Amino acid sequence: MRITLLSLLLLLVAAVAPAKAVLHITRDHGGYVEEYKVKYKRIRDSGERVVIDGICNSACTLVFGIVPLKRICVTPKASIGVHLAYYDKAFTFGIKVTSAEGTSDLMSYYPDPLKDWIRRNGGLTTEMKKIKNGEDLWRIVDPCPDEW
């Protein structure tokens, strides 16, 4: 009887234990870099997987340098966009003022394949440079398995 109760208890615990979560990125245009660093470090430390299933621009792309690439994948709808870092326009009277320090910080997080793509495509500028799903993006991160 004891073995049966123990087995039942273990089965119940296994059934209610949370599965590893998955962050689905579908429409993320970026934001404050420091907030993204905190968010992605939490995701990295929790063991969550990341599925990019749409737009991941600007600070969102920090995911590639903080969460292990083996836990990130892209769907056919994925695209990423990168640009020079700039100060919040609320503090610069609506003018885009680039930040060399901020750009250097962003680049320090990017994996080599993303840095290589940026170099091959003329470096970062104030304009968004996009990588759509396909070979260029797959050189940076793997496509998701069919079950995603």
Side-chain angles (χ1 to χ4, degrees), residues 75-76 85:
T75 72

Side-chain angles (χ1 to χ4, degrees), residues 15-121:
V16 297
K20 290 278 186 203
V22 175
L23 171 67
H24 282 264
I25 297 173
T26 58
R27 192 175 195 161
D28 191 327
H29 295 282
Y32 293 108
V33 168
E34 294 307 316
E35 291 176 7
Y36 278 81
K37 287 179 184 177
V38 170
K39 173 183 174 179
Y40 291 143
K41 285 176 183 174
R42 181 187 50 76
I43 289 166
R44 176 197 62 206
D45 295 345
S46 74
E48 285 182 66
R49 293 189 47 78
V50 177
V51 175
I52 301 174
D53 191 28
I55 298 166
C56 177
N57 288 346
S58 197
C60 177
T61 61
L62 282 168
V63 70
F64 297 113
I66 298 174
V67 176
L69 288 173
K70 67 183 177 200
R71 293 202 335 245
I72 304 171
C73 68
V74 292
T75 72
K77 295 186 244 173
S79 72
I80 67 171
V82 294
H83 61 83
L84 287 171
Y86 54 89
Y87 296 99
D88 186 337
K89 291 191 281 184
F91 301 110
T92 59
F93 305 102
I95 300 168
K96 245 186 215 182
V97 177
T98 60
S99 167
E101 182 181 340
T103 299
S104 178
D105 183 43
L106 275 174
M107 290 294 288
S108 74
Y109 280 88
Y110 287 160
D112 288 337
L114 180 52
K115 289 178 188 176
D116 292 342
W117 184 91
I118 291 168
R119 278 191 283 274
R120 284 193 317 273
N121 287 274

